[in-house]
Amino acid sequence: MTARISFTGSREEAELLSDRLDAAFEEEGGVVALSEAGPNWQVELYLEGDELGPLQTRLSDALGTDASKFDIEILPETDWVAQSLKGLAPVPAGRFIVHGAHDRGAVPAGRIGIEIDAGQAFGTGHHATTLGCLETLDELVKVRRFDRPLDVGTGTGLLAIALAKLLREPVLASDIDPIAVEIAAENARLNGVGHLVETMTATGLGHPRIAACAPYDLIVANILAGPLIALAPAMARASEADGVIVLSGILNTQASRVTAAYRNQGFALETHRRFGEWSVLVLSHRI
């Protein structure tokens, strides 16, 4: 059986629950998914097993709360990737069209197609943060040439692939999750830029290859506000003078804190773009 345990609440509650579920069920191969559910956030746990009762007990132990507060549902065997793709229409973003394999033939003439299917890594192009990054990068390369780009927290590799297609230059792409790194590399090959996108598993910018290729004239990081703030000193060391960084995964309410952290490292805010409740920041290194 596959059990889906759903909880709807604030983003902070959802992130806390996601971390606890991930730690409690990691050994059994449990998959925890964090997603927006209307104005709220939802955490789902997909776990193979055959008894619902013990699962409820373990949830209580893991979360320190009554499992009756959660909606627990037994799901039939389903190809969830195929099901999720049915609702993912092609997404336009600047000159890009992000699409799944089922819409491979639907890319209009004059657009840059990027094929990304829903899977184990973040970044199908349907979230406002990814969409905002794509539109921002498309505008940036119209006014400036970049030849040493780095994508931090690459997820599916979408932004690295976009950069490779726009610039036709080598792109380094890192992620803390080795599964995401494998997916990103496969997606780069699928999109015809496998020879340009080099992927690696790294925490932040902590990889010898990233250090060896520095400084970068463009760094893209679509992650979360907390890690972005923590990475500000490393970003400053890795960015060349007058280098540009594009930051996303930031709620509008968090943008001022992220901007302040980077100003303290010698960056100046060039553009603050809002996409719904999310922000994309473009900063330049003024050292």
Side-chain angles (χ1 to χ4, degrees), residues 150-153 172 174-176 200-212 216 231 234-235 237-238:
L150 170 67
D151 178 16
V152 179
L172 261 63
S174 69
D175 201 283
I176 195 170
M200 63 208 67
T201 303
T203 300
L205 280 71
H207 192 283
R209 180 66 173 154
I210 295 176
Y216 299 92
L231 284 173
M235 292 278 205
R237 291 191 296 269

Side-chain angles (χ1 to χ4, degrees), residues 1-217:
M1 100 181 162
T2 298
R4 181 171 66 192
I5 297 89
S6 301
F7 168 84
T8 301
S10 69
R11 179 189 176 92
E12 291 74 18
E13 291 173 312
E15 288 179 341
L16 178 60
L17 290 173
S18 176
D19 290 344
R20 289 180 176 177
L21 287 171
D22 190 50
F25 294 95
E26 181 179 13
E27 291 186 2
E28 296 100 321
V31 176
V32 182
L34 178 65
S35 61
E36 287 182 282
N40 299 311
W41 288 76
Q42 183 176 62
V43 176
E44 295 178 328
L45 169 66
Y46 298 88
L47 183 70
E48 296 300 319
D50 54 10
E51 294 185 61
L52 185 57
L55 180 59
Q56 291 173 310
T57 301
R58 291 196 57 201
L59 279 171
S60 295
D61 293 340
L63 302 176
T65 188
D66 185 355
S68 64
K69 295 180 181 179
F70 298 85
D71 294 326
I72 302 178
E73 181 182 2
I74 305 302
L75 304 174
E77 291 300 321
T78 307
D79 184 342
W80 291 107
V81 170
Q83 287 295 315
S84 66
L85 287 174
K86 290 180 180 179
L88 296 183
V91 176
R95 284 173 285 177
F96 296 107
I97 291 286
V98 185
H99 62 90
H102 57 301
D103 283 314
R104 189 174 294 163
V107 179
R111 292 293 190 113
I112 303 172
I114 302 179
E115 184 175 319
I116 302 287
D117 280 336
Q120 295 169 291
F122 174 80
T124 62
H126 290 73
H127 194 279
T129 57
T130 312
L131 177 66
C133 280
L134 284 174
E135 291 192 5
T136 300
L137 291 174
D138 186 33
E139 292 299 318
L140 268 178
V141 301
K142 292 177 181 177
V143 298
R144 176 169 171 176
R145 177 71 191 176
F146 300 97
D147 55 22
R148 293 186 310 284
L150 170 67
D151 178 16
V152 179
T154 194
T156 60
L158 174 60
L159 298 180
I161 293 166
L163 287 171
K165 290 195 171 213
L166 281 174
L167 303 174
R168 308 310 301 180
E169 297 283 355
V171 181
L172 261 63
S174 69
D175 201 283
I176 195 170
D177 182 359
I179 295 177
V181 170
E182 293 177 7
I183 292 170
E186 177 57 32
N187 283 334
R189 289 189 290 269
L190 175 67
N191 282 274
V193 291
H195 62 298
L196 292 175
V197 177
E198 180 181 349
T199 60
M200 63 208 67
T201 303
T203 300
L205 280 71
H207 192 283
R209 180 66 173 154
I210 295 176
C213 294
Y216 299 92
D217 56 3

